[in-house]
Amino acid sequence: MVVIRLIQGAFIDEQSFYGLKWLLLGEWLNQGFKMYAETFDYTGPIAAFVYKYLYFIFGRSNFIHYGFSSLVIIFQAGIFNQLLLKNKAYDENNYLPAFLYVILMLAVPDFMTLSPQLMSLTFVLMSLRNVLRRIDNQVTDELFLNSGIYLGVAAMIYLPSMIFFFVFLIALILFSTAVTRRLLLYLFSFLMAFSLCALYFYSRGHASVFIDSYVTQNLLLKAGSPVSTNEFLLISAGFIFIFVLSVFKTWGSARLTSFQQKIQQVIWLMFFGGVATFFLSNGKSFHEIVFIVPVIAYFWTHYFILLRKRIFQFVMPGFMIFGILFYAIYCYTNFTDPLLVESRPTEKGLMVLGADLDYYQNEKMLTPCFSEHHARKAFEGLAYYHSAAGLYELFEKADPEVLIDRMEVVPEVFRRFPKMESAYRRTASNRYEKISN
């Protein structure tokens, strides 16, 4: 993994938009600004907490995010391999699932970022382990309780992953004799993480903002993607090829026991859950692929185990593994321009009112606008006293020297806050500079 990441790192010349966004989010929160109330974004509260404290400990460092994403992938590969071995998903025990899982993760085009999707998947896999134990007729309340807690944490990291709550609920009902009491325990524990997050924001006086920004607006936000459907399919072609080839090989050659068939059916449910998270996602990017990686790794392992001819055993593994890795690098260097941050002139004390984070590659983070949809919704609050007071406090705390008004809201801001209007002069279209004393 280290060798592959060093090779991949040689091809990274520019910062990806999402990687920069999560770095800047940690920096912004470390300046004392509150999530959701003073940060206009839909990132999960637990993910925001992680980014905040990574910045607090290490500062703004891409390398730290790369390192922690590597650790997360290694941990996930261990969980994935363990749950398949313990449940005897294959006729022979080996570490091939973990190896192929790592290869696939390293082949995700935006392969270095510590994304909320990646962190969320960790807890989905931990819940899957408990679900398979239950299907294997291990009956304890703890399995239902822990499964719900893990999925609740996953949803508080990345909201669309809540779909796996329903995926595993279906699996528990179809493949085990789950009594109503335990299903209610599963539901209660799933809601626990949300309740604790809501309680935290309630204690700070921002419960309604948290629910509106992270839940309501997150679900209602019109989905968009920086890449076209054709580009996405082209970049995902390597994953699609391996998946289709492995599925047909498994269907045609594998002889599975009754329990192995149940495992495969649960894996198929995970596949549909992964597809559903893609459609629930607001920013359709390559990070969504990670939810399909366990499914592909499961079938890909079957494919390699079922290879019988010596020539195929020698040729196919190398061809497919090196092929998917080099294809990922090829796609990253040729098709990811819409996901890369543009080069902008640096300017100290600059607040951009709009989700243009490019300006802050080499400057201090000084805007609450991480999502334009959420920012527009926040500035609609100028019509209400309490919301307007919060926005005024935000501007006072940030104290920007220059305002660039991408959303054309400054005139309304000045109309509401005459004192602020007297402190700035318009120097160009949508540009306002603070009047020096």
Side-chain angles (χ1 to χ4, degrees):
M1 182 176 192
V2 173
V3 170
I4 293 171
R5 285 225 146 162
L6 287 173
I7 295 172
Q8 289 176 329
F11 292 88
I12 299 178
D13 297 322
E14 298 178 283
Q15 173 77 62
S16 72
F17 170 79
Y18 288 106
L20 178 63
K21 173 185 175 180
W22 296 320
L23 281 171
L24 295 177
L25 179 59
E27 181 178 341
W28 175 254
L29 295 175
N30 265 279
Q31 294 178 50
F33 295 98
K34 303 176 183 68
M35 190 63 190
Y36 305 120
E38 297 175 325
T39 306
F40 310 143
D41 192 32
Y42 53 80
T43 302
I46 297 179
F49 176 88
V50 171
Y51 297 136
K52 176 180 178 179
Y53 283 95
L54 282 179
Y55 181 87
F56 177 76
I57 298 171
F58 301 104
R60 188 197 289 191
S61 171
N62 281 313
F63 178 78
I64 293 301
H65 276 223
Y66 299 163
F68 272 87
S69 69
S70 301
L71 292 176
V72 169
I73 291 171
I74 291 170
F75 183 65
Q76 289 177 357
I79 295 173
F80 183 66
N81 204 93
Q82 182 193 47
L83 69 88
L84 292 178
L85 287 183
K86 283 197 170 184
N87 291 284
K88 301 187 183 302
Y90 306 105
D91 293 333
E92 56 185 77
N93 293 334
N94 53 59
Y95 294 99
L96 194 56
F99 174 73
L100 296 180
Y101 184 94
V102 169
I103 294 297
L104 288 167
M105 278 296 185
L106 296 177
V108 174
D110 202 357
F111 31 65
M112 291 290 197
T113 53
L114 179 64
S115 65
Q117 293 91 326
L118 180 64
M119 291 188 282
S120 179
L121 179 59
T122 304
F123 295 92
V124 173
L125 289 173
M126 293 169 73
S127 182
L128 173 64
R129 180 173 57 186
N130 284 340
V131 171
L132 292 182
R133 286 173 60 194
R134 174 64 195 94
I135 295 174
D136 196 24
N137 292 322
Q138 298 184 42
V139 184
T140 62
D141 291 347
E142 181 183 337
L143 294 178
F144 291 86
L145 180 67
N146 290 343
S147 296
I149 290 174
Y150 293 146
L151 291 173
V153 172
M156 289 300 99
I157 296 173
Y158 181 63
L159 188 63
S161 65
M162 68 181 180
I163 199 70
F164 288 100
F165 168 81
F166 302 101
V167 167
F168 293 153
L169 177 63
I170 294 170
L172 289 169
I173 293 173
L174 291 180
F175 306 123
S176 70
T177 53
V179 297
T180 304
R181 179 179 63 83
R182 291 198 176 100
L183 293 179
L184 290 174
L185 184 63
Y186 175 65
L187 173 63
F188 169 79
S189 58
F190 171 74
L191 295 174
M192 189 184 301
F194 173 80
S195 301
L196 290 174
C197 287
L199 185 62
Y200 168 79
F201 285 102
Y202 175 79
S203 69
R204 298 166 67 92
H206 304 305
S208 60
V209 180
F210 160 64
I211 294 171
D212 181 63
S213 295
Y214 185 58
V215 181
T216 307
Q217 295 303 318
N218 207 345
L219 294 175
L220 296 178
L221 178 59
K222 183 180 179 181
S225 175
V227 294
S228 68
T229 302
N230 290 337
E231 287 175 324
F232 190 90
L233 290 175
L234 181 63
I235 292 170
S236 305
F239 292 90
I240 296 170
F241 170 76
I242 289 173
F243 177 63
V244 172
L245 185 65
S246 301
V247 166
F248 279 104
K249 182 70 173 178
T250 303
W251 283 351
S253 304
R255 299 294 180 264
L256 305 178
T257 65
S258 175
F259 183 63
Q260 287 173 338
Q261 289 177 356
K262 288 182 180 179
I263 293 176
Q264 188 176 115
Q265 289 165 343
V266 173
I267 295 296
W268 272 112
L269 287 175
M270 277 200 69
F271 170 77
F272 293 118
V275 173
T277 60
F278 176 81
F279 287 104
L280 284 175
S281 170
N282 293 321
K284 304 266 189 304
S285 186
F286 308 120
H287 307 103
E288 313 301 328
I289 297 175
V290 300
F291 289 108
I292 308 296
V293 164
V295 179
I296 301 175
Y298 166 81
F299 284 106
W300 203 12
T301 303
H302 268 302
Y303 177 84
F304 282 159
I305 290 175
L306 292 170
L307 286 176
R308 293 289 178 259
K309 293 184 178 180
R310 188 175 298 275
I311 183 64
F312 289 129
Q313 290 176 342
F314 179 76
V315 173
M316 291 305 292
F319 169 73
M320 295 175 75
I321 290 169
F322 287 104
I324 189 73
L325 290 173
F326 282 111
Y327 189 71
I329 293 174
Y330 172 76
C331 291
Y332 187 88
T333 54
N334 289 277
F335 300 113
T336 57
D337 287 346
L339 288 174
L340 299 178
V341 175
E342 295 181 17
S343 178
R344 299 277 193 180
T346 60
E347 191 169 4
K348 293 186 181 298
L350 176 67
M351 177 180 281
V352 181
L353 298 179
D356 295 313
L357 303 179
D358 308 24
Y359 290 91
Y360 301 101
Q361 292 180 72
N362 302 302
E363 286 295 338
K364 178 182 176 182
M365 182 56 180
L366 204 65
T367 179
C369 305
F370 291 86
S371 162
E372 187 160 322
H373 171 86
H374 285 67
R376 290 190 181 280
K377 185 76 167 49
F379 280 103
E380 288 174 5
L382 287 168
Y384 305 95
Y385 174 79
H386 181 74
S387 299
L391 287 169
Y392 184 75
E393 290 176 4
L394 191 156
F395 281 113
E396 285 281 294
K397 191 188 298 187
D399 192 25
E401 295 292 325
V402 179
L403 294 171
I404 295 183
D405 186 17
R406 296 292 191 194
M407 300 190 300
E408 299 183 347
V409 295
V410 167
E412 180 63 18
V413 170
F414 285 170
R415 190 176 72 83
R416 289 290 176 182
F417 311 132
K419 181 181 176 182
M420 188 174 170
E421 181 179 18
S422 64
Y424 290 87
R425 68 172 183 272
R426 185 171 181 173
T427 58
S429 176
N430 296 333
R431 181 184 173 91
Y432 303 82
E433 295 183 9
K434 200 167 190 178
I435 301 171
S436 63
N437 295 324

